[in-house]
Amino acid sequence: MTVLNILLVEDDQLLAKGTAKLLERLGAHQVFITASPKEIFQRCSVGAVELVIMDINLPGAMWQGQKVDGSILSRHLKAHWKHIPIIVVTAYTMPAEQHLLLAESGADGCYTKPITDYEGFLDIITQLGQRRN
């Protein structure tokens, strides 16, 4: 299994900490948590990120004086670091909504939250992590 440095972008700290612990325990991944657009771009620019898990709904997130969400941040990340896989996580459950979200965000994968199937989620992370290079 490929061990990755994962950036988990989530504004709900309780959910983020629980998800990070499970990813670290089940997948042995190193997980960094943030909801700060500035920190997202800083970590990516220094090569500290190998995969991003991006929440779509980020209330209060601001970047360059503009209110942003996970879809906007994903597009900006892909514009600068195409090689970093991004999985967007969302409460949208309809396949058509997820397809549209993937198209809008430029992300590599989409997963419904709350995440309950961590083995399936880890499979997606592993697949995308192996393709990053």
Side-chain angles (χ1 to χ4, degrees):
M1 178 191 307
T2 303
V3 177
L4 301 169
N5 290 317
I6 297 174
L7 183 60
L8 175 58
V9 181
E10 173 63 63
D11 63 304
D12 181 329
Q13 287 300 303
L14 186 59
L15 178 62
K17 287 178 183 179
T19 300
K21 282 184 182 182
L22 283 166
L23 292 174
E24 290 168 350
R25 190 174 307 136
L26 295 175
H29 299 295
Q30 177 80 31
V31 180
F32 302 95
I33 301 168
T34 190
S36 162
K38 181 179 179 180
E39 186 173 1
I40 294 166
F41 291 105
Q42 284 175 337
R43 285 191 174 276
C44 289
S45 69
V46 298
V49 177
E50 296 172 303
L51 184 133
V52 175
I53 300 170
M54 177 76 70
D55 182 19
I56 288 300
N57 189 20
L58 297 169
M62 299 288 289
W63 184 61
Q64 296 182 338
Q66 301 290 318
K67 192 172 183 177
V68 293
D69 63 12
S71 185
I72 293 168
L73 291 172
S74 293
R75 280 196 314 269
H76 285 291
L77 285 174
K78 282 298 186 178
H80 293 91
W81 300 281
K82 289 178 180 38
H83 68 284
I84 299 176
I86 300 173
I87 302 170
V88 291
V89 289
T90 179
Y92 301 130
T93 57
M94 300 300 293
E97 291 172 305
Q98 289 185 358
H99 181 72
L100 181 61
L101 182 58
L102 279 171
E104 288 176 355
S105 68
D108 302 284
C110 184
Y111 211 83
T112 303
K113 71 179 199 178
I115 299 166
T116 54
D117 177 10
Y118 278 92
E119 293 295 333
F121 191 51
L122 280 170
D123 287 344
I124 291 171
I125 289 169
T126 300
Q127 291 170 10
L128 290 174
Q130 290 172 345
R131 287 190 350 206
R132 75 184 186 282
N133 296 321

